[in-house]
Amino acid sequence: MQANWDDLRLFLAVAREHSLSGAGKVLRLDPATVGRRMQRLEEALQATLFAKSQTGYALTEAGAALLVRAEAAEQAMRVAVAGLPVEGEGLRGQIRIGAPDGCANYLLPQVCAAISDENPDLDIQIVALPRVFNLSRREADMAIAVSAPEAGRLVVKKVTEYQLHLAASETYLAQHPPIETPDDLQGHRLVGYIQDMIFDRELDYLDSVGMVRVPLASNSVSVQVNWLRQGGGIGIAHDFSLPATPGLRRVLTDHISLSRSFYLIRHADERHNARLSRFAEALSSGLRAEVARLEACA
């Protein structure tokens, strides 16, 4: 049997993505190359690993059996290198962070730029997606979330709390009836999330606002903030986003004030990885400081 770890690495990607194209994106390889490698692996093992159809690649019985062993080999590889000392003083290589787009747009760029200044050989990738990241599928080395996951082999650390308030542009407020009590909101247009696309319960702010209809809705925080900046309506905004959006003003701060938290999440297999632990500590420290700085300017 001539299969090697690199073959198993590609097999894991196909098994997790259920397609050659999906695996190719994860591996940064041409799907045709991935397909040829899977054919070579099947020939080496003398077994059919995938049932191919229009809906994708499904594991056969032999493929499911290999998946268990390949994941065990993957974990063993990670454990084997996790305790090695970090070479030199600086971090190097590539680290990918998954984060909701509010954090990814208004906090991570400056925090990661500062880390990069201190570690010029380090490549940092920020993946901003309005959903929960799957670290078990290695979509990222670590992720930031607005609630602590309750399942999975994960290490979760609370990083910091942050504040949110209703906000609107000075232009909008000047052109519409005054907002002095929560009841006054009924005469205003609300900007917020698409309800059936809210991926975390902590992002559902409607009860706090006391309104049901959201005439201007998006699954993206950045789109919502830009709507507010353009005078589209009134909505919940992160206090840390306000310094980057001059012209927005908080309203009803004595009546409606929300507090949420950021959590740093890592896969349990990486808890002893000295390199990722050093980066995680720098990231956490930077996020805490940046939230405090920006909220003081809001």
Side-chain angles (χ1 to χ4, degrees), residues 278-290:
R278 283 181 56 188
F279 180 84
E281 184 55 40
L283 183 69
S284 298
S285 176
L287 281 174
R288 283 192 293 270
E290 190 63 5

Side-chain angles (χ1 to χ4, degrees), residues 6-261:
D6 202 46
D7 292 327
L8 293 180
R9 183 175 67 90
L10 269 65
F11 164 78
L12 282 171
V14 178
R16 289 164 175 166
E17 298 298 324
H18 308 292
S19 70
L20 296 181
S21 60
K25 290 179 181 179
V26 172
L27 299 166
R28 297 179 179 82
L29 291 175
D30 183 74
T33 300
V34 179
R36 288 192 296 271
R37 294 284 294 276
M38 288 303 94
Q39 183 178 0
R40 186 180 76 178
L41 179 60
E42 289 181 326
E43 291 172 353
L45 297 175
Q46 298 182 359
T48 300
L49 302 175
F50 297 100
K52 308 170 187 67
S53 69
Q54 292 183 344
T55 59
Y57 275 47
L59 289 171
T60 63
E61 183 177 354
L66 180 61
L67 178 63
V68 175
R69 300 171 188 179
E71 287 183 332
E74 179 184 52
Q75 181 176 352
M77 288 285 289
R78 292 180 178 277
V79 171
V81 301
L84 295 177
V86 179
E87 183 178 340
E89 292 298 322
L91 296 170
R92 61 186 65 230
Q94 176 185 295
I95 295 179
R96 177 177 293 178
I97 313 162
D101 69 332
C103 178
N105 277 283
Y106 298 106
L107 295 173
L108 286 183
Q110 55 269 40
V111 171
C112 290
I115 296 175
S116 182
D117 287 342
E118 297 179 358
N119 301 274
D121 294 324
L122 179 65
D123 296 335
I124 304 173
Q125 298 181 347
I126 299 172
V127 182
L129 289 177
R131 64 172 175 81
V132 177
F133 279 78
N134 190 330
L135 296 183
S136 296
R137 292 173 60 183
R138 309 301 174 184
E139 293 182 332
D141 295 297
M142 59 187 69
I144 295 168
V146 294
S147 63
E150 299 175 353
R153 298 186 61 251
L154 304 170
V155 176
V156 182
K157 176 184 178 182
K158 182 177 177 180
V159 176
T160 187
E161 293 184 353
Y162 61 94
Q163 308 302 312
L164 308 97
H165 291 89
L166 281 169
S169 71
E170 296 284 2
T171 301
Y172 177 88
L173 293 172
Q175 295 175 349
H176 292 81
I179 304 172
E180 299 176 351
T181 70
D183 290 339
D184 294 333
L185 293 173
Q186 301 302 320
H188 290 266
R189 184 167 56 202
L190 185 65
V191 174
Y193 279 102
I194 301 171
Q195 280 297 293
D196 60 3
M197 296 186 71
I198 294 177
F199 66 91
D200 192 298
R201 64 182 183 276
E202 295 294 334
L203 302 177
D204 192 351
Y205 308 133
L206 284 182
D207 287 343
S208 301
V209 178
M211 299 175 71
V212 175
R213 181 169 172 256
V214 184
L216 295 179
S218 173
N219 66 330
S220 166
V221 168
S222 298
V223 173
Q224 294 175 37
V225 170
N226 275 305
W227 254 329
L228 297 177
R229 187 171 60 86
Q230 295 296 334
I234 183 169
I236 295 290
H238 302 77
D239 282 10
F240 60 68
S241 72
L242 298 180
T245 52
L248 286 189
R249 178 162 64 84
R250 295 185 299 179
V251 298
L252 294 181
T253 55
D254 292 335
H255 299 274
I256 298 174
S257 179
L258 307 180
S259 178
R260 297 290 188 268
S261 299

